[in-house]
Amino acid sequence: MPIRFRIMVLALLTTFGVGAALYMQYSAINTDLEALQSRAEVLEQVGLISEIVHSLQKERGLSAGFLVDRDETHQKRLRQHRLETDEQLLGLDHQSRLFFFDAKWLASFILNLADKRKEIDDEAVDWKSVRTFYTDAITHLLDAVTAKILDGGRFEQGQKIMAFISLAQARECLGLIRASISRVHKQGRTLPEDIKVIAGYYGAFGEHRRAFIRDLRGTGDEAVLDNVFSSDFRAVVQRVESVLGFERGPADNNLAKSWWEDATRVIDTMKVAESSLFDSMRALISERILEKQQVFRVYVSVSLAIAALVVFLAFATMLRILKAMAVLLKTLKQVMTTQDFNAKVPIGPSVDEFGELGLSINNLLSYTDTLIKKKDFLANTDLLTGIHNRRSFLDGVNREFDRVRRYGGGIGLAVCDIDHFKAVNDKHGHEVGDLILKEFSNVLRVQVRKSDLVGRWGGEEFVVLAPETKQGDLITLAEKLRSSVAQTDFPTGEPVTCSIGTASLHSEETFEALFERADKALYQAKNNGRNRVESAN
């Protein structure tokens, strides 16, 4: 698998991994927020049902009194309250699809409630049946509320919720007591059956009251206790206990009305306390929703920024790596193809790790180029004189011969030898002899043309290759070289001369044959007295 493909896959996997992690955290926060919003909706539903329960409790009590005393004022109050209850039930029916209890039950209850009211108006039903009907409905609603609130421990405010439920149940018991005692006052006597019913309700009322006090401790809403257990509350409790004490008296509508108003005031106070607890729970959840929404917004903003940054960095890094690899490979292939170690890897304005790698490769290429040039210099240069050595000179000869074979033209060769050089070495030493060789080669290099090739053949023997040079011009060049040497001041202070043999290239002649003819001409110059130029036939 190409590394380029692996880098792309790695960038994609990194982006996907970060995105998945951010999405999982986003889902967790969103789930918490939805759970809080669901709890807030449940509380709103509980608040509405609490109002329905309170209205049904009041209608139950008014119905109980109406069954005993069917005066016009009582009948008017009952009918007016029925309208309020119907309005609340209608609103609940319209929103029943949003609530957690059975909508079919609600529809059935509304129909049954109309029938029960007609029976009450027609005196076709007794109090026990009326009480059971309303109590079952209220119990069903309270049970639905309790089950929903405690479902799976979805609410953190456990103590306050239990206090809320206990207070609602205590209010229900007091509502039943209110209706029952109201009947006792209207009928003017207390029957054993009434005492039994009221005692049962009063016992349950006391149990729920104690649970309410216990659960409310430590919630921060203890002030509600003072509002509930006021002097009116204590007076109502005393009235209940007096009824349970079998105190008899004649039927008294004023007493019944007083009792109804006192009990209703206490029940309304309990409803206000219930609403206060409800508002406290709702405010806390609303606060938590706002906090979670703020966290959610911040997280979404930060997550989008992080995701954008990760994507940018991943793909920018991937592109940088791929581009750097392409540039490096292109440069190295160019170097290997052209053998030009002077080539350089392009470096951008900002230097990162790949830029440093490119700089290192450039340094390596420069060092390699220096070594190669140094090697070539050592391989092609006479170290003493700095001119071409025999190997380098022969390479130049081969290039010129190839040119002549391809395009035609002439070549001249001059072979030079320093006269009596051995005697100079014997007299002045090899160090002075080396100085003379350097100066001699320098004279040759200065006097020849740029197109000419000067080399040291060996010892004190030098060669000059003159391309595109005729025989006469070659002799003129050789004379110029000889004369310049003779006129140069050498380190010994003594005159130094040279002998030169020349030869021009014949058709189809090899360099070896050309050199042999020039070398013979050199020896002829030596034999003819030195310090002279001789030309081969």
Side-chain angles (χ1 to χ4, degrees):
M1 182 185 298
I3 190 171
R4 183 174 302 161
F5 178 76
R6 282 181 279 176
I7 291 174
M8 295 176 64
V9 171
L10 181 60
L12 291 174
L13 290 178
T14 301
T15 303
F16 176 79
V18 173
L22 292 175
Y23 178 77
M24 291 176 63
Q25 187 64 26
Y26 162 84
S27 298
I29 295 176
N30 191 49
T31 299
D32 291 343
L33 181 58
E34 289 177 350
L36 287 172
Q37 291 172 336
S38 175
R39 294 169 197 170
E41 291 175 359
V42 170
L43 284 179
E44 291 297 328
Q45 297 166 12
V46 167
L48 181 55
I49 292 177
S50 176
E51 295 294 332
I52 298 291
V53 168
H54 185 62
S55 184
L56 289 175
Q57 288 171 337
K58 193 171 183 178
E59 183 175 329
R60 178 182 59 192
L62 290 172
S63 298
F66 181 69
L67 287 174
V68 177
D69 182 7
R70 306 177 69 84
D71 64 86
E72 185 178 350
T73 301
H74 204 139
Q75 185 179 26
K76 184 177 180 180
R77 290 177 61 195
L78 178 59
R79 288 179 177 175
Q80 179 63 35
H81 189 74
R82 284 176 178 176
L83 293 176
E84 295 176 4
T85 303
D86 288 342
E87 185 178 352
Q88 291 178 333
L89 286 173
L90 182 62
L92 186 62
D93 184 41
H94 287 165
Q95 303 183 49
S96 61
R97 59 187 177 84
L98 303 176
F99 287 81
F100 44 76
F101 60 87
D102 191 355
K104 293 182 179 179
W105 176 90
L106 178 60
S108 175
F109 171 72
I110 292 175
L111 293 176
N112 293 334
L113 178 61
D115 294 339
K116 188 61 65 178
R117 286 172 175 173
K118 188 174 186 306
E119 291 176 356
I120 293 172
D121 293 340
D122 296 341
E123 297 185 79
V125 66
D126 60 7
W127 161 239
K128 184 176 180 180
S129 175
V130 172
R131 181 186 63 197
T132 300
F133 175 78
Y134 280 99
T135 301
D136 287 348
I138 292 171
T139 301
H140 179 85
L141 292 172
L142 289 177
D143 288 345
V145 169
T146 302
K148 190 63 178 180
I149 289 179
L150 299 180
D151 180 22
R154 294 171 55 185
F155 288 83
E156 301 87 348
Q157 308 172 70
Q159 277 188 266
K160 190 178 294 187
I161 291 172
M162 295 304 300
F164 175 84
I165 294 173
S166 297
L167 182 59
Q169 292 171 335
R171 183 164 58 86
E172 163 62 4
C173 291
L174 187 55
L176 289 167
I177 294 172
R178 176 182 62 179
S180 299
I181 292 180
S182 179
R183 282 180 52 80
V184 168
H185 285 316
K186 286 183 177 294
Q187 66 190 11
R189 67 184 184 280
T190 306
L191 300 176
E193 180 182 351
D194 295 328
I195 294 297
K196 183 178 180 182
V197 171
I198 294 172
Y201 292 148
Y202 187 66
F205 171 76
E207 181 180 345
H208 293 311
R209 180 183 64 182
R210 289 188 293 272
F212 167 66
I213 296 173
R214 180 192 66 231
D215 293 333
L216 197 62
R217 300 290 186 190
T219 62
D221 290 300
E222 290 84 352
V224 173
L225 294 174
D226 296 332
N227 297 332
V228 173
F229 303 123
S230 62
S231 58
D232 290 339
F233 179 86
R234 290 190 292 273
V236 167
V237 170
Q238 289 176 359
R239 291 280 293 276
V240 175
E241 291 176 348
S242 70
V243 171
L244 293 176
F246 295 94
E247 294 184 6
R248 298 180 179 273
D252 189 344
N253 285 334
N254 291 330
L255 185 62
K257 182 179 180 181
S258 172
W259 158 252
W260 176 267
E261 291 175 350
D262 292 342
T264 298
R265 187 164 53 251
V266 171
I267 290 175
D268 288 344
T269 301
M270 295 173 72
K271 178 63 176 66
V272 170
E274 188 179 312
S275 298
S276 176
L277 289 176
F278 171 78
D279 291 340
S280 175
M281 291 186 291
R282 182 170 58 183
L284 181 59
I285 287 185
S286 297
E287 182 180 349
R288 290 202 57 198
I289 287 176
L290 289 176
E291 292 176 355
K292 188 63 70 173
Q293 286 175 336
Q294 181 65 23
V295 171
F296 183 78
R297 285 191 291 268
V298 171
Y299 181 80
V300 169
S301 300
V302 173
S303 298
L304 290 176
I306 291 176
L309 181 61
V310 169
V311 171
F312 172 76
L313 290 177
F315 283 91
T317 302
M318 178 187 71
L319 293 176
R320 177 70 179 102
I321 292 174
L322 294 179
K323 182 178 179 181
M325 289 176 57
V327 170
L328 290 176
L329 290 175
K330 179 180 178 181
T331 303
L332 294 177
K333 286 181 179 179
Q334 178 184 350
V335 170
M336 296 303 296
T337 302
T338 62
Q339 294 296 304
D340 180 15
F341 290 90
N342 196 36
K344 295 293 183 290
V345 177
I347 305 297
S350 59
V351 179
D352 53 11
E353 287 80 357
F354 287 101
E356 293 179 357
L357 178 61
L359 289 174
S360 299
I361 292 177
N362 286 343
N363 291 335
L364 182 61
L365 290 174
S366 297
Y367 181 70
T368 303
D369 186 59
T370 301
L371 289 180
I372 292 174
K373 288 180 178 178
K374 186 175 181 179
K375 177 186 74 67
D376 290 341
F377 178 80
L378 294 175
N380 299 320
T381 306
D382 180 70
L383 297 182
L384 177 62
T385 62
I387 60 176
H388 293 283
N389 59 17
R390 179 184 291 193
R391 175 180 175 278
S392 176
F393 183 82
L394 289 176
D395 288 339
V397 166
N398 291 332
R399 288 193 298 271
E400 286 299 321
F401 268 67
D402 290 338
R403 182 188 61 80
V404 169
R405 293 191 189 97
R406 182 174 302 176
Y407 304 109
I411 295 178
L413 177 64
V415 179
C416 309
D417 185 83
I418 301 175
D419 296 332
H420 306 295
F421 183 72
K422 184 177 182 305
V424 173
N425 272 339
D426 293 340
K427 180 178 180 181
H428 299 285
H430 289 285
E431 290 183 1
V432 174
D434 290 343
L435 293 176
I436 292 175
L437 291 175
K438 290 180 181 180
E439 186 63 27
F440 183 82
S441 63
N442 187 53
V443 172
L444 296 183
R445 185 167 48 219
V446 170
Q447 297 300 324
V448 298
R449 300 168 303 179
K450 290 183 178 181
S451 59
D452 297 337
L453 190 64
V454 179
R456 185 182 179 191
W457 194 253
E460 67 273 22
E461 192 171 23
F462 296 81
V463 285
V464 176
L465 188 70
E468 298 297 335
T469 303
K470 297 180 179 180
Q471 179 68 20
D473 295 331
L474 178 61
I475 294 174
T476 301
L477 173 62
E479 284 292 346
K480 178 182 176 183
L481 295 178
R482 184 198 62 76
S483 174
S484 296
V485 170
Q487 296 175 11
T488 299
D489 294 331
F490 285 87
T492 58
E494 299 174 355
V496 174
T497 61
C498 68
S499 300
I500 302 175
T502 65
S504 294
L505 181 64
H506 293 167
S507 178
E508 302 298 328
E509 187 178 27
T510 64
F511 174 74
E512 288 75 11
L514 177 64
F515 181 83
E516 182 178 357
R517 291 194 297 114
D519 192 51
K520 289 181 177 180
L522 170 64
Y523 278 100
Q524 185 178 356
K526 290 282 189 183
N527 293 330
N528 291 338
R530 292 183 172 81
N531 191 22
R532 59 184 291 120
V533 175
E534 292 291 345
S535 177
N537 295 327

